């Protein structure tokens, strides 16, 4: 799409995006969820799959700070400080992510609801998504069911060899190495299962494997799975949410495991995110939270074929 | 050894894969919400022209293929190899019949061809889009019949056969579109 001279989107798109952002803010105002402005500079992300972009000399003591990959740890500190229900609508940054549906800088909507579990939050996410892309049937599907249906495997019980066969059947060849279990699942999710979800619907995938719990608590009824969900619309992953893990000790263990994973993969090993750990130690109330890719949702709402059409060429 | 990171992947980039040179046709960055990012890539094998799909872990590096495009002059063939010359260095390169492929139907001595070199050896020879070739064999021309739209086969000096209008005579020089293997017109000279 032809961009304006300075690389932003065309005027009509800028206006439609602006009206959509106003509707999002209206949605939260009605629900008495307050907008917050967490600092965008802070500690690096622990997640080995995320690359934090460093800004040298930007931390309080003059050392390197990192652009947030999400406002999660700062917002949890706010929750621990007694903020109540809050949301953030603004930029986040992830190094090395560039493509039709990825950009190093993107607009994130993240919100936390005290006393909600992930099911109640999914209802609210559906309401917000419908506000922008219109009413669609809402569908819920477990991670396990989706993999059975679209990849012919049981992601919780099938041995690695069966997952490897499924990859071969789908014509997915990973260059150089044999994928590890979670990589095999990620390959199937990103190549086969995900693109099949949310066709004409709002489809929530929930009950991710415990190994992919991220910051979600495990499901007490089936500890092989985590209370983590994602929303798919027309094959695109739009949002990722959790019934939040609030146990500081369990979180510290997960961070340590992520550090070990980074060390093993030869990635930079960052200091533990003590801001989040301190927040959890102080006591983050029982809550559910979700992060939603606003540019992707707007692209769907505007019928755009890439983030670039919504954000402009420099986006 | 030059390498490319997946961050540099784009259409046309030449990389090595399992010992063969490939050209990237399409590159898509995919990533589940949390978890490993991948580059899902369509690649053309430059030896076989087959297109395959491969997935790379994002951030991985792969060896660059030493592939370049040159304009070389065709000299002659001995049935096994086709010989080309670099018009500036006068250096000669021998291309096996497999690398010449269909271009063999169209090129004659002194034609300039696009030759794809891999590790300095011809990998693919492309005939010029249009060539002028003499008819060495065809049925006698039907004089005056320039509009009936009928055609007949004509054998060209390179051995290839194309369909030509009925009025074309042996000994005439024709302009041929090598991509479609079609007669275009009588050559103007």
């Amino acid at each position: 799409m032809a961009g304006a001279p300075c690389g932003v989107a065309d005027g009509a798109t800028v206006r439609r995006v602006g009206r959509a952002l106003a509707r999002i803010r209206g949605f939260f105002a009605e629900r008495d969820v307050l907008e917050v402005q967490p600092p965008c500079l802070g500690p690096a992300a622990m997640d080995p799959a995320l690359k934090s972009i460093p800004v040298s000399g930007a931390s309080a003591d003059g050392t390197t700070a990192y652009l947030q990959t999400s406002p999660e740890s700062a917002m949890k500190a706010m929750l621990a400080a007694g903020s109540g229900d809050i949301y953030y609508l603004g930029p986040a940054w992830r190094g090395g992510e560039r493509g039709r549906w990825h950009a190093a800088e993107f607009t994130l909507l993240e919100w936390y609801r005290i006393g909600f579990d992930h099911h109640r939050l999914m209802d609210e996410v559906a309401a917000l998504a419908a506000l922008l892309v219109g009413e669609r049937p809402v569908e819920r599907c477990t991670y396990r069911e989706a993999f059975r249906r679209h990849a012919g495997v049981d992601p919780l019980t099938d041995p690695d060899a069966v997952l490897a066969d499924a990859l071969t059947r789908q014509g997915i060849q990973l260059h150089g190495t044999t994928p590890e279990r979670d990589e095999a699942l990620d390959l199937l999710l990103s190549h086969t299962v995900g693109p099949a979800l949310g066709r004409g619907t709002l489809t929530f995938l929930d009950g991710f494997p415990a190994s992919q719990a991220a910051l979600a608590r495990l499901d007490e009824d089936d500890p092989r799975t985590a209370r983590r969900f994602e929303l798919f619309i027309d094959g695109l992953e739009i949002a990722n949410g959790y019934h939040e893990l609030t146990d500081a000790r369990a979180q510290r263990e997960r961070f340590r495991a992520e550090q070990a994973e980074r060390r093993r993969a030869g990635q930079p090993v960052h200091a533990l995110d003590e801001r989040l750990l301190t927040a959890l130690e102080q006591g983050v109330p029982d809550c559910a939270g979700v992060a939603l890719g606003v540019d992707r949702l707007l692209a769907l709402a505007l019928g755009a074929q890439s983030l670039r059409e919504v954000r402009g060429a420099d986006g | 050894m030059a390498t490319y990171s997946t961050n540099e992947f784009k259409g046309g980039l030449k990389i090595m894969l399992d010992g063969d040179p490939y050209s990237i046709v399409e590159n898509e960055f995919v990533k589940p919400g949390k978890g490993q990012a991948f580059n899902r890539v369509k690649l053309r094998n430059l030896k076989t022209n087959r297109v395959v799909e491969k997935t790379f872990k994002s951030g991985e590096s792969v060896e660059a293929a030493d592939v370049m495009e040159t304009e070389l002059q065709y000299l002659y063939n001995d049935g096994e190899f086709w010989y080309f010359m670099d018009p500036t260095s006068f250096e000669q390169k021998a291309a096996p019949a497999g690398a010449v492929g269909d271009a063999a139907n169209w090129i004659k001595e002194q034609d300039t061809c696009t030759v794809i070199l891999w590790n300095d050896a011809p990998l693919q020879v492309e005939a010029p889009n249009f060539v002028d070739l003499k008819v060495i064999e065809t049925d006698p021309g039907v004089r005056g019949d320039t509009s009936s739209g009928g055609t007949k086969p004509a054998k060209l000096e390179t051995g290839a056969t194309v369909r030509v209008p009925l009025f074309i005579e042996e000994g005439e020089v024709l302009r041929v579109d090598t991509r479609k293997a079609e007669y275009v017109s009588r050559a103007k000279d």
Side-chain angles (χ1 to χ4, degrees), chain A residues 47 49 96-98 102 173-175 177 183 186-187 190-191 228 230 237 240 242, chain B residues 7 17-18 29-36 38 40 53-57 60 62:
Chain A
D47 182 345
E97 301 196 7
R98 177 160 288 279
H102 292 82
Q173 286 188 338
L174 186 63
H175 174 68
T177 55
E183 281 171 349
D186 283 347
L187 279 167
S190 58
H191 287 56
R228 171 182 162 205
E230 286 190 346
E237 188 248 334
N240 177 65
Y242 313 125
Chain B
N7 299 331
L17 214 57
D18 310 321
F29 180 86
V30 296
K31 185 178 186 302
K34 296 266 165 188
Q36 175 71 49
F38 301 105
R40 196 177 178 178
E53 208 179 298
K54 285 260 182 191
T55 298
F56 297 77
K57 282 198 220 179
E60 196 185 338
V62 292

mmCIF file of all heavy atoms in Angstrom, chain A residues 47 49 96-98 102 173-175 177 183 186-187 190-191 228 230 237 240 242, chain B residues 7 17-18 29-36 38 40 53-57 60 62:
data_model
loop_
_atom_site.group_PDB
_atom_site.id
_atom_site.type_symbol
_atom_site.label_atom_id
_atom_site.label_comp_id
_atom_site.label_asym_id
_atom_site.label_seq_id
_atom_site.Cartn_x
_atom_site.Cartn_y
_atom_site.Cartn_z
ATOM 1 N N ASP A 47 11.901 -14.528 28.930
ATOM 2 C CA ASP A 47 11.464 -15.526 27.952
ATOM 3 C C ASP A 47 12.516 -15.705 26.850
ATOM 4 O O ASP A 47 12.834 -14.753 26.140
ATOM 5 C CB ASP A 47 10.135 -15.043 27.344
ATOM 6 C CG ASP A 47 9.567 -16.029 26.338
ATOM 7 O OD1 ASP A 47 10.293 -16.935 25.894
ATOM 8 O OD2 ASP A 47 8.383 -15.876 25.997
ATOM 9 N N ALA A 49 12.324 -16.843 24.042
ATOM 10 C CA ALA A 49 11.826 -16.602 22.683
ATOM 11 C C ALA A 49 11.697 -15.110 22.383
ATOM 12 O O ALA A 49 11.346 -14.739 21.271
ATOM 13 C CB ALA A 49 10.474 -17.285 22.496
ATOM 14 N N GLY A 96 14.142 -8.408 16.255
ATOM 15 C CA GLY A 96 14.237 -9.519 15.310
ATOM 16 C C GLY A 96 12.905 -9.987 14.751
ATOM 17 O O GLY A 96 12.864 -10.945 13.997
ATOM 18 N N GLU A 97 11.799 -9.329 15.133
ATOM 19 C CA GLU A 97 10.506 -9.780 14.619
ATOM 20 C C GLU A 97 10.064 -8.859 13.492
ATOM 21 O O GLU A 97 9.745 -7.707 13.711
ATOM 22 C CB GLU A 97 9.458 -9.819 15.752
ATOM 23 C CG GLU A 97 9.899 -10.751 16.861
ATOM 24 C CD GLU A 97 8.790 -11.148 17.822
ATOM 25 O OE1 GLU A 97 7.620 -10.806 17.562
ATOM 26 O OE2 GLU A 97 9.107 -11.797 18.831
ATOM 27 N N ARG A 98 10.074 -9.389 12.297
ATOM 28 C CA ARG A 98 9.702 -8.568 11.146
ATOM 29 C C ARG A 98 9.071 -9.461 10.107
ATOM 30 O O ARG A 98 9.632 -10.493 9.746
ATOM 31 C CB ARG A 98 10.941 -7.872 10.582
ATOM 32 C CG ARG A 98 10.693 -7.042 9.335
ATOM 33 C CD ARG A 98 11.800 -6.043 9.128
ATOM 34 N NE ARG A 98 11.731 -4.975 10.114
ATOM 35 C CZ ARG A 98 10.905 -3.922 10.023
ATOM 36 N NH1 ARG A 98 10.095 -3.800 8.998
ATOM 37 N NH2 ARG A 98 10.891 -2.994 10.951
ATOM 38 N N HIS A 102 4.340 -9.239 11.779
ATOM 39 C CA HIS A 102 5.230 -8.908 12.888
ATOM 40 C C HIS A 102 5.970 -7.615 12.589
ATOM 41 O O HIS A 102 6.301 -7.343 11.452
ATOM 42 C CB HIS A 102 6.267 -10.016 13.105
ATOM 43 C CG HIS A 102 5.667 -11.296 13.600
ATOM 44 N ND1 HIS A 102 5.084 -12.207 12.749
ATOM 45 C CD2 HIS A 102 5.538 -11.794 14.844
ATOM 46 C CE1 HIS A 102 4.625 -13.228 13.470
ATOM 47 N NE2 HIS A 102 4.880 -13.005 14.738
ATOM 48 N N GLN A 173 9.524 -29.257 7.408
ATOM 49 C CA GLN A 173 10.895 -29.712 7.599
ATOM 50 C C GLN A 173 11.689 -28.630 8.286
ATOM 51 O O GLN A 173 11.876 -27.548 7.731
ATOM 52 C CB GLN A 173 11.555 -29.979 6.248
ATOM 53 C CG GLN A 173 11.087 -31.240 5.573
ATOM 54 C CD GLN A 173 11.921 -31.515 4.342
ATOM 55 O OE1 GLN A 173 12.540 -30.622 3.777
ATOM 56 N NE2 GLN A 173 11.946 -32.763 3.926
ATOM 57 N N LEU A 174 12.180 -28.918 9.490
ATOM 58 C CA LEU A 174 13.008 -27.944 10.180
ATOM 59 C C LEU A 174 14.440 -28.141 9.721
ATOM 60 O O LEU A 174 14.954 -29.253 9.727
ATOM 61 C CB LEU A 174 12.898 -28.124 11.697
ATOM 62 C CG LEU A 174 13.610 -27.052 12.522
ATOM 63 C CD1 LEU A 174 13.001 -25.677 12.278
ATOM 64 C CD2 LEU A 174 13.551 -27.380 14.009
ATOM 65 N N HIS A 175 15.067 -27.044 9.303
ATOM 66 C CA HIS A 175 16.421 -27.131 8.786
ATOM 67 C C HIS A 175 17.417 -27.442 9.906
ATOM 68 O O HIS A 175 17.356 -26.854 10.974
ATOM 69 C CB HIS A 175 16.804 -25.811 8.120
ATOM 70 C CG HIS A 175 18.228 -25.751 7.684
ATOM 71 N ND1 HIS A 175 18.708 -26.529 6.660
ATOM 72 C CD2 HIS A 175 19.278 -25.044 8.152
ATOM 73 C CE1 HIS A 175 19.989 -26.281 6.505
ATOM 74 N NE2 HIS A 175 20.368 -25.392 7.388
ATOM 75 N N THR A 177 18.262 -29.180 12.511
ATOM 76 C CA THR A 177 18.170 -29.929 13.757
ATOM 77 C C THR A 177 16.845 -30.668 13.859
ATOM 78 O O THR A 177 15.883 -30.356 13.160
ATOM 79 C CB THR A 177 18.245 -28.991 14.973
ATOM 80 O OG1 THR A 177 17.236 -27.995 14.833
ATOM 81 C CG2 THR A 177 19.592 -28.317 15.077
ATOM 82 N N GLU A 183 9.368 -27.296 20.516
ATOM 83 C CA GLU A 183 9.564 -26.738 19.173
ATOM 84 C C GLU A 183 8.656 -27.423 18.168
ATOM 85 O O GLU A 183 8.098 -26.775 17.276
ATOM 86 C CB GLU A 183 11.022 -26.900 18.738
ATOM 87 C CG GLU A 183 11.937 -25.866 19.355
ATOM 88 C CD GLU A 183 13.413 -26.146 19.092
ATOM 89 O OE1 GLU A 183 13.747 -27.255 18.616
ATOM 90 O OE2 GLU A 183 14.211 -25.258 19.378
ATOM 91 N N ASP A 186 5.352 -25.984 18.649
ATOM 92 C CA ASP A 186 5.320 -24.624 18.089
ATOM 93 C C ASP A 186 5.260 -24.642 16.565
ATOM 94 O O ASP A 186 4.591 -23.810 15.947
ATOM 95 C CB ASP A 186 6.552 -23.831 18.541
ATOM 96 C CG ASP A 186 6.434 -23.345 19.981
ATOM 97 O OD1 ASP A 186 5.321 -23.409 20.539
ATOM 98 O OD2 ASP A 186 7.455 -22.900 20.550
ATOM 99 N N LEU A 187 5.985 -25.597 15.959
ATOM 100 C CA LEU A 187 5.944 -25.713 14.493
ATOM 101 C C LEU A 187 4.531 -26.059 14.032
ATOM 102 O O LEU A 187 4.010 -25.448 13.092
ATOM 103 C CB LEU A 187 6.910 -26.812 14.018
ATOM 104 C CG LEU A 187 8.383 -26.436 13.911
ATOM 105 C CD1 LEU A 187 9.245 -27.686 13.757
ATOM 106 C CD2 LEU A 187 8.622 -25.514 12.723
ATOM 107 N N SER A 190 2.208 -22.983 14.626
ATOM 108 C CA SER A 190 2.387 -21.832 13.734
ATOM 109 C C SER A 190 2.167 -22.175 12.266
ATOM 110 O O SER A 190 1.828 -21.304 11.479
ATOM 111 C CB SER A 190 3.778 -21.215 13.936
ATOM 112 O OG SER A 190 4.781 -22.171 13.700
ATOM 113 N N HIS A 191 2.376 -23.441 11.870
ATOM 114 C CA HIS A 191 2.261 -23.804 10.454
ATOM 115 C C HIS A 191 0.895 -24.388 10.100
ATOM 116 O O HIS A 191 0.436 -24.235 8.981
ATOM 117 C CB HIS A 191 3.321 -24.836 10.063
ATOM 118 C CG HIS A 191 4.713 -24.291 9.956
ATOM 119 N ND1 HIS A 191 5.343 -23.628 10.983
ATOM 120 C CD2 HIS A 191 5.607 -24.315 8.939
ATOM 121 C CE1 HIS A 191 6.559 -23.276 10.596
ATOM 122 N NE2 HIS A 191 6.735 -23.680 9.361
ATOM 123 N N ARG A 228 -3.729 -20.959 30.483
ATOM 124 C CA ARG A 228 -3.273 -19.979 29.503
ATOM 125 C C ARG A 228 -4.123 -20.126 28.249
ATOM 126 O O ARG A 228 -4.447 -21.242 27.855
ATOM 127 C CB ARG A 228 -1.802 -20.258 29.181
ATOM 128 C CG ARG A 228 -1.286 -19.448 28.035
ATOM 129 C CD ARG A 228 0.152 -19.746 27.687
ATOM 130 N NE ARG A 228 0.384 -19.244 26.350
ATOM 131 C CZ ARG A 228 1.301 -19.694 25.516
ATOM 132 N NH1 ARG A 228 2.109 -20.666 25.893
ATOM 133 N NH2 ARG A 228 1.410 -19.181 24.321
ATOM 134 N N GLU A 230 -5.130 -18.405 24.122
ATOM 135 C CA GLU A 230 -4.862 -17.484 23.020
ATOM 136 C C GLU A 230 -6.137 -17.318 22.210
ATOM 137 O O GLU A 230 -6.950 -18.237 22.139
ATOM 138 C CB GLU A 230 -3.745 -18.025 22.106
ATOM 139 C CG GLU A 230 -2.362 -17.900 22.738
ATOM 140 C CD GLU A 230 -1.235 -18.207 21.756
ATOM 141 O OE1 GLU A 230 -1.501 -18.753 20.678
ATOM 142 O OE2 GLU A 230 -0.084 -17.886 22.107
ATOM 143 N N GLU A 237 -3.078 -15.181 15.340
ATOM 144 C CA GLU A 237 -3.069 -15.129 16.795
ATOM 145 C C GLU A 237 -3.192 -13.663 17.213
ATOM 146 O O GLU A 237 -2.413 -12.818 16.790
ATOM 147 C CB GLU A 237 -1.780 -15.736 17.340
ATOM 148 C CG GLU A 237 -1.785 -15.893 18.837
ATOM 149 C CD GLU A 237 -0.805 -14.963 19.533
ATOM 150 O OE1 GLU A 237 0.194 -14.559 18.905
ATOM 151 O OE2 GLU A 237 -1.056 -14.626 20.696
ATOM 152 N N ASN A 240 -3.041 -13.243 23.987
ATOM 153 C CA ASN A 240 -2.499 -14.310 24.828
ATOM 154 C C ASN A 240 -2.764 -13.919 26.278
ATOM 155 O O ASN A 240 -2.403 -12.823 26.695
ATOM 156 C CB ASN A 240 -0.992 -14.411 24.552
ATOM 157 C CG ASN A 240 -0.318 -15.442 25.414
ATOM 158 O OD1 ASN A 240 -0.601 -16.637 25.305
ATOM 159 N ND2 ASN A 240 0.565 -15.000 26.286
ATOM 160 N N TYR A 242 -3.636 -15.157 30.649
ATOM 161 C CA TYR A 242 -3.402 -16.116 31.725
ATOM 162 C C TYR A 242 -4.342 -15.895 32.888
ATOM 163 O O TYR A 242 -4.707 -14.746 33.185
ATOM 164 C CB TYR A 242 -1.995 -15.934 32.326
ATOM 165 C CG TYR A 242 -0.865 -15.804 31.367
ATOM 166 C CD1 TYR A 242 -0.007 -14.701 31.431
ATOM 167 C CD2 TYR A 242 -0.616 -16.784 30.418
ATOM 168 C CE1 TYR A 242 1.076 -14.587 30.570
ATOM 169 C CE2 TYR A 242 0.466 -16.674 29.551
ATOM 170 C CZ TYR A 242 1.300 -15.567 29.632
ATOM 171 O OH TYR A 242 2.364 -15.453 28.782
ATOM 172 N N ASN B 7 17.382 -13.283 9.468
ATOM 173 C CA ASN B 7 16.880 -11.896 9.431
ATOM 174 C C ASN B 7 17.124 -11.240 8.077
ATOM 175 O O ASN B 7 16.475 -10.259 7.738
ATOM 176 C CB ASN B 7 17.579 -11.036 10.498
ATOM 177 C CG ASN B 7 17.324 -11.555 11.889
ATOM 178 O OD1 ASN B 7 16.283 -12.156 12.136
ATOM 179 N ND2 ASN B 7 18.275 -11.359 12.777
ATOM 180 N N LEU B 17 22.086 -25.410 0.814
ATOM 181 C CA LEU B 17 21.254 -26.288 1.623
ATOM 182 C C LEU B 17 21.590 -27.713 1.220
ATOM 183 O O LEU B 17 21.484 -28.041 0.038
ATOM 184 C CB LEU B 17 19.785 -25.968 1.304
ATOM 185 C CG LEU B 17 18.763 -26.074 2.406
ATOM 186 C CD1 LEU B 17 19.122 -25.186 3.572
ATOM 187 C CD2 LEU B 17 17.391 -25.686 1.874
ATOM 188 N N ASP B 18 22.006 -28.520 2.175
ATOM 189 C CA ASP B 18 22.348 -29.918 1.895
ATOM 190 C C ASP B 18 23.248 -30.044 0.659
ATOM 191 O O ASP B 18 23.054 -30.925 -0.173
ATOM 192 C CB ASP B 18 21.068 -30.765 1.680
ATOM 193 C CG ASP B 18 20.059 -30.560 2.807
ATOM 194 O OD1 ASP B 18 20.505 -30.449 3.968
ATOM 195 O OD2 ASP B 18 18.852 -30.490 2.525
ATOM 196 N N PHE B 29 7.918 -14.869 8.076
ATOM 197 C CA PHE B 29 8.274 -14.971 9.485
ATOM 198 C C PHE B 29 7.029 -15.404 10.245
ATOM 199 O O PHE B 29 5.990 -14.764 10.146
ATOM 200 C CB PHE B 29 8.758 -13.593 9.971
ATOM 201 C CG PHE B 29 9.150 -13.555 11.423
ATOM 202 C CD1 PHE B 29 10.435 -13.902 11.815
ATOM 203 C CD2 PHE B 29 8.246 -13.171 12.393
ATOM 204 C CE1 PHE B 29 10.797 -13.860 13.157
ATOM 205 C CE2 PHE B 29 8.598 -13.127 13.729
ATOM 206 C CZ PHE B 29 9.881 -13.475 14.116
ATOM 207 N N VAL B 30 7.128 -16.513 10.984
ATOM 208 C CA VAL B 30 5.970 -16.963 11.776
ATOM 209 C C VAL B 30 6.429 -17.221 13.201
ATOM 210 O O VAL B 30 7.576 -17.578 13.446
ATOM 211 C CB VAL B 30 5.302 -18.235 11.221
ATOM 212 C CG1 VAL B 30 4.717 -18.001 9.850
ATOM 213 C CG2 VAL B 30 6.267 -19.408 11.182
ATOM 214 N N LYS B 31 5.502 -16.988 14.142
ATOM 215 C CA LYS B 31 5.852 -17.194 15.539
ATOM 216 C C LYS B 31 4.570 -17.421 16.312
ATOM 217 O O LYS B 31 3.619 -16.669 16.169
ATOM 218 C CB LYS B 31 6.543 -15.926 16.050
ATOM 219 C CG LYS B 31 7.072 -16.028 17.465
ATOM 220 C CD LYS B 31 7.772 -14.738 17.840
ATOM 221 C CE LYS B 31 8.434 -14.835 19.194
ATOM 222 N NZ LYS B 31 7.496 -15.160 20.270
ATOM 223 N N PRO B 32 4.556 -18.498 17.112
ATOM 224 C CA PRO B 32 3.393 -18.634 17.990
ATOM 225 C C PRO B 32 3.433 -17.519 19.036
ATOM 226 O O PRO B 32 4.474 -16.895 19.225
ATOM 227 C CB PRO B 32 3.575 -19.998 18.638
ATOM 228 C CG PRO B 32 4.928 -20.480 18.274
ATOM 229 C CD PRO B 32 5.581 -19.512 17.356
ATOM 230 N N GLY B 33 2.315 -17.257 19.696
ATOM 231 C CA GLY B 33 2.238 -16.149 20.658
ATOM 232 C C GLY B 33 3.402 -16.123 21.620
ATOM 233 O O GLY B 33 4.020 -15.089 21.848
ATOM 234 N N LYS B 34 3.689 -17.258 22.194
ATOM 235 C CA LYS B 34 4.896 -17.411 23.005
ATOM 236 C C LYS B 34 5.622 -18.568 22.354
ATOM 237 O O LYS B 34 4.999 -19.498 21.874
ATOM 238 C CB LYS B 34 4.545 -17.790 24.442
ATOM 239 C CG LYS B 34 3.762 -16.736 25.181
ATOM 240 C CD LYS B 34 4.687 -15.858 25.969
ATOM 241 C CE LYS B 34 3.977 -14.594 26.407
ATOM 242 N NZ LYS B 34 4.920 -13.652 26.997
ATOM 243 N N GLY B 35 6.938 -18.554 22.378
ATOM 244 C CA GLY B 35 7.630 -19.708 21.813
ATOM 245 C C GLY B 35 8.519 -19.341 20.645
ATOM 246 O O GLY B 35 8.659 -18.180 20.287
ATOM 247 N N GLN B 36 9.084 -20.383 20.066
ATOM 248 C CA GLN B 36 10.104 -20.253 19.038
ATOM 249 C C GLN B 36 9.573 -19.546 17.782
ATOM 250 O O GLN B 36 8.500 -19.866 17.297
ATOM 251 C CB GLN B 36 10.581 -21.665 18.683
ATOM 252 C CG GLN B 36 11.561 -21.756 17.553
ATOM 253 C CD GLN B 36 12.929 -21.218 17.937
ATOM 254 O OE1 GLN B 36 13.472 -21.580 18.973
ATOM 255 N NE2 GLN B 36 13.476 -20.352 17.104
ATOM 256 N N PHE B 38 10.014 -18.787 13.716
ATOM 257 C CA PHE B 38 10.519 -19.536 12.565
ATOM 258 C C PHE B 38 10.459 -18.678 11.306
ATOM 259 O O PHE B 38 9.640 -17.760 11.210
ATOM 260 C CB PHE B 38 9.661 -20.779 12.311
ATOM 261 C CG PHE B 38 9.593 -21.737 13.466
ATOM 262 C CD1 PHE B 38 8.450 -21.817 14.247
ATOM 263 C CD2 PHE B 38 10.670 -22.552 13.778
ATOM 264 C CE1 PHE B 38 8.375 -22.697 15.309
ATOM 265 C CE2 PHE B 38 10.605 -23.440 14.833
ATOM 266 C CZ PHE B 38 9.454 -23.521 15.607
ATOM 267 N N ARG B 40 9.568 -19.470 7.535
ATOM 268 C CA ARG B 40 9.011 -20.496 6.662
ATOM 269 C C ARG B 40 9.346 -20.067 5.243
ATOM 270 O O ARG B 40 8.901 -19.017 4.783
ATOM 271 C CB ARG B 40 7.502 -20.501 6.889
ATOM 272 C CG ARG B 40 6.827 -21.696 6.391
ATOM 273 C CD ARG B 40 5.363 -21.629 6.744
ATOM 274 N NE ARG B 40 4.708 -22.795 6.207
ATOM 275 C CZ ARG B 40 3.436 -23.053 6.366
ATOM 276 N NH1 ARG B 40 2.677 -22.221 7.047
ATOM 277 N NH2 ARG B 40 2.903 -24.127 5.851
ATOM 278 N N GLU B 53 9.927 -26.550 0.376
ATOM 279 C CA GLU B 53 9.617 -25.694 1.510
ATOM 280 C C GLU B 53 10.423 -26.157 2.713
ATOM 281 O O GLU B 53 10.508 -27.358 2.978
ATOM 282 C CB GLU B 53 8.118 -25.773 1.803
ATOM 283 C CG GLU B 53 7.618 -24.499 2.448
ATOM 284 C CD GLU B 53 6.125 -24.525 2.746
ATOM 285 O OE1 GLU B 53 5.346 -24.636 1.794
ATOM 286 O OE2 GLU B 53 5.785 -24.453 3.930
ATOM 287 N N LYS B 54 11.036 -25.205 3.403
ATOM 288 C CA LYS B 54 11.824 -25.526 4.591
ATOM 289 C C LYS B 54 11.501 -24.500 5.662
ATOM 290 O O LYS B 54 11.156 -23.361 5.358
ATOM 291 C CB LYS B 54 13.324 -25.422 4.285
ATOM 292 C CG LYS B 54 13.864 -26.563 3.463
ATOM 293 C CD LYS B 54 14.559 -27.579 4.342
ATOM 294 C CE LYS B 54 15.136 -28.686 3.469
ATOM 295 N NZ LYS B 54 15.595 -29.814 4.255
ATOM 296 N N THR B 55 11.672 -24.924 6.909
ATOM 297 C CA THR B 55 11.478 -23.999 8.014
ATOM 298 C C THR B 55 12.788 -23.859 8.774
ATOM 299 O O THR B 55 13.466 -24.856 9.024
ATOM 300 C CB THR B 55 10.359 -24.510 8.936
ATOM 301 O OG1 THR B 55 9.144 -24.556 8.179
ATOM 302 C CG2 THR B 55 10.155 -23.588 10.119
ATOM 303 N N PHE B 56 13.151 -22.624 9.065
ATOM 304 C CA PHE B 56 14.381 -22.345 9.808
ATOM 305 C C PHE B 56 14.012 -21.729 11.144
ATOM 306 O O PHE B 56 13.053 -20.966 11.225
ATOM 307 C CB PHE B 56 15.261 -21.349 9.035
ATOM 308 C CG PHE B 56 15.742 -21.857 7.712
ATOM 309 C CD1 PHE B 56 14.889 -21.883 6.616
ATOM 310 C CD2 PHE B 56 17.030 -22.324 7.560
ATOM 311 C CE1 PHE B 56 15.318 -22.363 5.391
ATOM 312 C CE2 PHE B 56 17.477 -22.798 6.334
ATOM 313 C CZ PHE B 56 16.621 -22.820 5.257
ATOM 314 N N LYS B 57 14.793 -22.058 12.175
ATOM 315 C CA LYS B 57 14.623 -21.342 13.436
ATOM 316 C C LYS B 57 15.130 -19.923 13.211
ATOM 317 O O LYS B 57 16.238 -19.732 12.704
ATOM 318 C CB LYS B 57 15.471 -21.998 14.527
ATOM 319 C CG LYS B 57 14.879 -23.257 15.086
ATOM 320 C CD LYS B 57 15.561 -23.556 16.417
ATOM 321 C CE LYS B 57 15.823 -25.039 16.555
ATOM 322 N NZ LYS B 57 16.491 -25.360 17.820
ATOM 323 N N GLU B 60 18.958 -18.265 13.131
ATOM 324 C CA GLU B 60 19.942 -19.219 12.642
ATOM 325 C C GLU B 60 20.691 -18.618 11.447
ATOM 326 O O GLU B 60 20.156 -17.755 10.751
ATOM 327 C CB GLU B 60 19.175 -20.468 12.181
ATOM 328 C CG GLU B 60 19.999 -21.696 11.986
ATOM 329 C CD GLU B 60 19.141 -22.834 11.400
ATOM 330 O OE1 GLU B 60 17.914 -22.790 11.538
ATOM 331 O OE2 GLU B 60 19.728 -23.738 10.818
ATOM 332 N N VAL B 62 22.824 -19.474 7.807
ATOM 333 C CA VAL B 62 23.077 -20.501 6.800
ATOM 334 C C VAL B 62 24.150 -19.995 5.847
ATOM 335 O O VAL B 62 24.348 -18.786 5.683
ATOM 336 C CB VAL B 62 21.803 -20.864 5.996
ATOM 337 C CG1 VAL B 62 20.789 -21.561 6.874
ATOM 338 C CG2 VAL B 62 21.214 -19.632 5.349
#
